[in-house]
Amino acid sequence: MRAAFPDFRLGNVLATSFTGTLSERHGNPVERIPTPHRLVDWLAVNGLAVDSCTPAQLDLARELRESIHAAATAAALQDALPASAVQVINDCSVLGRAAAILTPEGERRWRLSSASRVEDALSVIADDAISVIAGERDGKLALCASPTCQAAFFDTSRSRTRKWCDMNTCGNRQKKARFNAKQRKNPRSAE
């Protein structure tokens, strides 16, 4: 029997979804890629299937994840990007051999090297992070309003005023907390 792992939080932006593999950073952290095989699973779900992953490659992936999180957080706060995070992102970007391809449906997909190495997939994630952090895409980096999460996410809403990294988790938790606090404060409103 396989061990149960927390579900992946999937989003529309590869780089910020990747940083979401560690959630609740300011509460009780939830590691969603605790093993090399779980990283292989996450990559496959995101169209970056690889053959295998070693513990060293998992360490590299986590280092990239934390570097993207640090740089995206700084960008969202309009602070200077941490030099060490920029270095890791750039190093991972040039590390792999991946090529953008156009599907018959007109969508962009990635083709990894014939060996399907983790480094190839990480280079795609790093490339995505560079385009987001550099402001090359329509949207803005923001931080989740949940005090236990504060994840960086890419806001593509029309008004660019989204508050939560994920409405189904952080947003829903905050709405429930506000509702419960209101009920405790005014118990008659439930009648």
Side-chain angles (χ1 to χ4, degrees), residues 1 9 45 54 94 166:
M1 185 172 142
R9 287 179 155 184
V45 166
T54 67
V94 299
D166 183 16

Side-chain angles (χ1 to χ4, degrees), residues 47-50 97-99 110-117 120-121 123-124:
L48 298 170
V50 298
R97 296 176 304 229
W110 290 95
R111 180 177 296 150
L112 306 183
S113 71
S114 60
S116 296
R117 302 172 322 128
D120 299 333
S123 74
V124 172

Side-chain angles (χ1 to χ4, degrees), residues 16-36:
T16 54
S17 292
F18 187 56
T19 65
T21 60
L22 178 64
S23 57
E24 298 301 311
R25 291 169 185 269
H26 300 279
N28 294 317
V30 177
E31 176 61 72
R32 296 172 192 282
I33 53 170
T35 65

Side-chain angles (χ1 to χ4, degrees), residues 135-181:
E136 295 175 348
R137 296 179 38 194
D138 188 27
K140 77 169 192 164
L141 279 165
L143 298 178
C144 183
S146 168
T148 61
C149 180
Q150 297 180 351
F153 66 91
F154 195 63
D155 183 4
T156 57
S157 67
R158 185 174 294 182
S159 63
R160 307 291 193 259
T161 57
R162 206 172 104 198
K163 295 174 90 172
W164 318 111
C165 64
D166 183 16
M167 194 58 212
N168 292 325
T169 53
C170 291
N172 193 33
R173 253 187 252 135
Q174 295 300 312
K175 282 184 164 185
K176 281 182 181 178
R178 278 196 312 268
F179 177 80
N180 290 336

